[in-house]
Amino acid sequence: NGGEIFQEGRADGERWWSSTLDCLLPEYIDVAIGKKDLLRPQDAVGFYNMKLFIQRHSKLPYLFHQLLTHPSTNRRILLSTSLLGLLKTINTDLQTFEGPYLCGPQFTLADVYIYPIIELIVVVLSTYRNFWIPPSLTNLIGWYDAVSDRPSVRAAAADRSAESRNTYCFERMHRNEYLIEVYEPLARNEEAVFAQLNDEGGRPGVNVYRQHFEEDVDVRERSICERRSSCESCVIS
C-alpha cells in the first residue's frame, strides 16, 4: 500500500505490524527492553531532536528495499539518487551536535532506527547494486564505525551461531556473507522461487535456492562455452 511493506511478527504472544515507512519499531524496542527511557534523551530538546531525526530519515528503509528489488534499471538510477540525497542529509544532521551519535553523546532510538539499514546498504547494496557510501560522507562513516563498536551492536551483529544454522536454511556463517545470502532472492526478484524450493527440499543449514542458482549458472556457462569453436580456458571432450 503506497510502497509500504508490512511484515507480521509476534512478540510475547502479541501480534504486531511493522512498516518500512513508519517509525514505530524503535519505540516498540524501547518499551520491550523493559528499561524506561534507556534510549530516549531525558531533556525535552533532546527528545524533540530524536523524534525529528527519526522522521527525517523515515524513508531510508523504503529506499533500500526499492533499490534492491525494483526491476527497472532507470527506476533504480532515480532511487540511487534519492538514497544518496538522504545519506547526505544524515551526514549533515550528524554535524548538529558533538557526537558520536545523532543526538550527541547519548545513543538513542534515532541511531537504532537507521543503523540496521545503513549496514544493509554497506553490505547488500554494494554487492547487488554497486551502491557505495561515498568516502566524502565522513560524519556518516564515523558514526557507523562508532555504533558498530558498541558492545551491544557487536553482539547483535556477530557471526551466526550453530543454533541459527541448525534452525534456518541459510548456509553462510559470517555476518556479511549471511546477509548477502539472505537478500539474494530479493535482489533477483525470486522470492517465490526461493520459498518454493526451500519448502520442497530445504532443511536447516541447506539453502536449496542457492544450490539451484549455482547449478543454473553453471549450465548456462557450459552452454555458452560449448558453442564456441575453440576455448582458451577449457577443452570440451
Side-chain angles (χ1 to χ4, degrees):
N1 180 19
E4 298 184 5
I5 300 170
F6 288 89
Q7 296 178 325
E8 182 181 3
R10 292 187 178 274
D12 299 328
E14 297 294 331
R15 176 178 293 185
W16 54 273
W17 294 86
S18 66
S19 164
T20 58
L21 290 182
D22 69 27
C23 309
L24 298 178
L25 187 56
E27 297 194 34
Y28 164 80
I29 293 172
D30 189 41
V31 174
I33 60 177
K35 294 185 178 180
K36 183 176 176 58
D37 296 334
L38 180 65
L39 297 173
R40 299 169 182 246
Q42 296 301 303
D43 62 292
V45 173
F47 181 78
Y48 171 83
N49 286 326
M50 180 195 74
K51 299 282 284 187
L52 177 63
F53 287 146
I54 292 175
Q55 183 181 44
R56 279 166 60 84
H57 309 151
S58 63
K59 288 192 69 175
L60 191 63
Y62 168 77
L63 290 173
F64 161 77
H65 186 271
Q66 286 291 295
L67 180 54
L68 180 66
T69 62
H70 205 287
S72 169
T73 301
N74 290 335
R75 177 60 177 163
R76 290 203 299 263
I77 292 173
L78 295 175
L79 289 164
S80 296
T81 301
S82 297
L83 179 56
L84 179 59
L86 183 52
L87 293 177
K88 289 180 178 178
T89 296
I90 297 173
N91 188 72
T92 300
D93 287 345
L94 283 161
Q95 297 176 341
T96 306
F97 303 102
E98 185 175 352
Y101 308 116
L102 270 165
C103 293
Q106 182 180 356
F107 183 70
T108 71
L109 294 174
D111 305 291
V112 171
Y113 181 69
I114 67 172
Y115 178 82
I117 307 301
I118 298 297
E119 181 190 25
L120 293 177
I121 291 171
V122 170
V123 177
V124 176
L125 287 188
S126 63
T127 299
Y128 292 117
R129 295 294 178 257
N130 286 324
F131 184 95
W132 305 82
I133 296 178
S136 59
L137 302 185
T138 55
N139 297 321
L140 178 57
I141 293 171
W143 166 88
Y144 182 76
D145 290 341
V147 175
S148 298
D149 198 44
R150 290 180 60 84
S152 59
V153 175
R154 289 203 304 269
D159 291 345
R160 296 175 68 201
S161 64
E163 180 182 4
S164 174
R165 185 166 188 177
N166 292 334
T167 303
Y168 303 104
C169 67
F170 301 105
E171 299 173 356
R172 303 298 185 182
M173 299 298 290
H174 184 271
R175 170 74 173 182
N176 289 357
E177 295 175 352
Y178 165 69
L179 291 176
I180 291 169
E181 181 183 6
V182 167
Y183 282 91
E184 182 177 25
L186 278 77
R188 302 187 187 283
N189 291 292
E190 293 185 343
E191 301 100 308
V193 176
F194 169 85
Q196 179 181 351
L197 289 173
N198 280 293
D199 283 346
E200 294 174 352
R203 58 187 185 275
V206 178
N207 185 350
V208 182
Y209 170 82
R210 178 98 283 274
Q211 296 176 356
H212 170 80
F213 178 77
E214 290 174 347
E215 291 172 359
D216 186 49
V217 170
D218 183 58
V219 168
R220 291 200 306 269
E221 289 179 347
R222 283 190 285 109
S223 176
I224 292 172
C225 186
E226 289 168 355
R227 286 196 289 267
R228 297 173 181 170
S229 58
S230 63
C231 182
E232 296 178 356
S233 60
C234 63
V235 175
I236 304 299
S237 58

